[in-house]
Amino acid sequence: MLAYCGVVGEDVFKALADPTRRRILDELVERDGQTLFEICTRLVTKHNLGLSRQAISQHLAVLESAGLIRTRRQGRYKFHDLETEPLERIVTRWLRPDTPEENS
Amino acid sequence: MLAYCGVVGEDVFKALADPTRRRILDELVERDGQTLFEICTRLVTKHNLGLSRQAISQHLAVLESAGLIRTRRQGRYKFHDLETEPLERIVTRWLRPDTPEENS
DNA sequence: ACAATAGGCAAGCATCCACTTGCCTATCAA
DNA sequence: TTGATAGGCAAGTGGATGCTTGCCTATTGT
């Protein structure tokens, strides 16, 4: 459960800085729990993004280390689930500055 | 007033990707309408950020082109005002995906 | 066992980005 | 007018970053 009390890794902002990673989040909002290959094919077909499998894999790694997605293995499949908790924090930093800010 | 209907420039995310620029936003939340030199000195004294004036100036340019700050000249002074409107959009993209998304 | 599928690791590369340095313009005070 | 203050422009540089390529491991089906 990992209560994540307080600090938001600055990785969250860097993770969101890339348009492809934002597309991936869009994709997971629309359909959660996809595998790497599913995300690959959907990015190619729907958004005409001609990216290699490794490119997407690296993006997913960035998103995971930023806490924006969570993964679970199942046999040879690895499913990716969206994690919206870090998103709720990052903007309250400037919109509701009354709350104690321990961000970086 | 510039109703900004629809699209959020992807610059907003890139603008937020840098920790120094986030510090600047913090600084403007705390005290709006500062000049370049004020921001410089406060970043140095309060956060021990040893950055040149040009560095801050360039950061301010990025924030402005992202729509996160607005500037007004007055004599030889240039005041920087926070603009929170783009911030409200970026997170609703994934938190409230019901709204029509025209983001990039 | 063997091939196919799903994914991982690591080196290499080209581009981008933050920062510096040096010099220039504009406004104000004496 | 002269000097000081506030800010701008542009070239250069080192490090980060996104992407590719090549090869490797693990699981599944026949």
Side-chain angles (χ1 to χ4, degrees):
Chain A
M1 281 304 170
L2 260 167
Y4 272 120
C5 43
V7 183
V8 169
E10 58 180 71
D11 324 295
V12 180
F13 298 96
K14 286 183 183 169
L16 293 176
D18 186 85
T20 303
R21 285 196 285 269
R22 296 197 293 272
R23 288 281 181 216
I24 292 176
L25 292 184
D26 292 338
E27 205 44 63
L28 290 178
V29 163
E30 198 174 289
R31 186 169 183 275
D32 207 14
Q34 296 190 59
T35 74
L36 171 59
F37 273 83
E38 286 176 309
I39 296 171
C40 275
T41 54
R42 297 188 81 167
L43 284 183
V44 171
T45 59
K46 292 177 53 179
H47 303 287
N48 284 336
L49 290 185
L51 288 177
S52 72
R53 180 179 55 88
Q54 272 71 10
I56 309 293
S57 177
Q58 287 163 4
H59 282 307
L60 288 173
V62 173
L63 288 171
E64 183 174 16
S65 81
L68 286 168
I69 62 176
R70 198 173 290 175
T71 61
R72 51 190 160 93
R73 289 213 77 129
Q74 206 167 335
R76 58 177 158 178
Y77 299 102
K78 187 180 185 184
F79 300 103
H80 302 265
D81 300 301
L82 194 59
E83 193 64 45
T84 58
E85 194 262 358
L87 288 173
E88 320 207 11
R89 305 174 158 277
I90 64 174
V91 169
T92 62
R93 172 173 183 175
W94 298 290
L95 293 184
R96 272 152 293 215
D98 327 292
T99 57
E101 15 165 310
E102 299 296 334
N103 297 339
S104 61
Chain B
M1 280 306 166
L2 260 166
Y4 272 119
C5 43
V7 183
V8 169
E10 58 179 68
D11 323 294
V12 181
F13 298 96
K14 285 183 185 170
L16 292 177
D18 186 85
T20 302
R21 286 196 284 271
R22 296 196 293 271
R23 288 280 180 216
I24 292 176
L25 293 184
D26 292 338
E27 204 45 62
L28 290 178
V29 163
E30 198 174 289
R31 186 171 183 275
D32 207 14
Q34 296 189 58
T35 74
L36 171 59
F37 273 83
E38 287 175 308
I39 297 172
C40 275
T41 54
R42 298 187 80 170
L43 283 183
V44 171
T45 60
K46 293 176 51 180
H47 302 288
N48 285 334
L49 290 185
L51 288 177
S52 73
R53 179 180 55 88
Q54 272 73 9
I56 309 293
S57 177
Q58 286 165 3
H59 282 307
L60 288 172
V62 173
L63 288 171
E64 184 173 16
S65 83
L68 286 168
I69 62 177
R70 198 172 291 174
T71 60
R72 51 191 160 92
R73 289 212 79 128
Q74 205 167 335
R76 59 176 158 176
Y77 299 102
K78 188 180 185 185
F79 301 103
H80 302 264
D81 300 301
L82 194 59
E83 192 64 46
T84 59
E85 194 263 358
L87 289 174
E88 322 208 8
R89 306 174 156 278
I90 65 173
V91 169
T92 62
R93 172 171 182 178
W94 298 290
L95 293 184
R96 272 151 292 215
D98 327 293
T99 57
E101 16 166 312
E102 299 297 334
N103 298 338
S104 61

